[in-house]
Amino acid sequence: MLFEFNLSTPRKDFYNITAQVREAVTKSGISDGIVVVFCPHTTAGITINENADPDVVRDLLFGLDKAFPDYPEFRHDEGNSTAHLKASTIGASESIIVNNGKLMLGTWQGIYFCEFDPPRNRKFFVKTLSSQ
Ligand code: ZN
C-alpha cells in the first residue's frame, strides 16, 4: 500500500517521522516485508539516526553546514545549492525491514525527514511491501 503524509517544516531541522511510518505499517496490515520511505523533494531528504540525544541531530546539522558552505561561486539561480548538496548527500529514501508487524529499527534509531531549505509545506511517501 502507498501512504502520503504532509509535513510543515518551519525551520532547518530533522523531523522525526517514525510514528507516521509505524502508522502506515499498522494500517497496511503487513506482517513481513519492507517499507520504503521516500522524499519527493530536491532540498530535503530521509535518514535514520539517533532518536535519544537531541544533540546528535543538532551536531548533524552543524556538521552538514560545515561540510557544505554556501559558496559565492555557486551558479544555481534559486540560491540554495547548499541545500541541494545536503539533500543528495543524505539521500531521498530509506528502506526498513518489517518483521512480525514491527519495524526492525535499533533501540536508538529514528526515521527523520531532513529539511534543508525551510520554510516549506512538504510531503513524503511510505510504501509497504509484503514478502508473503
Ligand atoms: Zn534550488
Side-chain angles (χ1 to χ4, degrees), residues 2-69:
L2 180 65
F3 299 85
E4 179 178 335
F5 294 92
N6 295 308
L7 183 67
S8 174
T9 59
R11 67 190 165 278
K12 187 165 60 174
D13 205 347
F14 284 18
Y15 296 83
N16 193 329
I17 57 169
T18 312
Q20 290 96 315
V21 179
R22 284 211 170 93
E23 176 192 327
V25 170
T26 300
K27 281 187 179 169
S28 74
I30 70 164
S31 174
D32 294 283
I34 295 274
V35 60
V36 177
V37 184
F38 182 76
C39 167
H41 305 286
T42 59
T43 55
I46 304 290
T47 196
I48 295 173
N49 216 300
E50 177 161 333
N51 63 10
D53 180 1
D55 278 343
V56 171
V57 163
R58 186 206 148 278
D59 289 351
L60 287 169
L61 287 163
F62 175 81
L64 285 165
D65 279 343
K66 290 291 181 190
F68 302 108

Side-chain angles (χ1 to χ4, degrees), residues 88-101:
S88 270
T89 300
I90 289 291
S93 70
E94 289 284 357
S95 304
I96 303 109
I97 298 166
V98 177
N99 190 53
N100 291 326

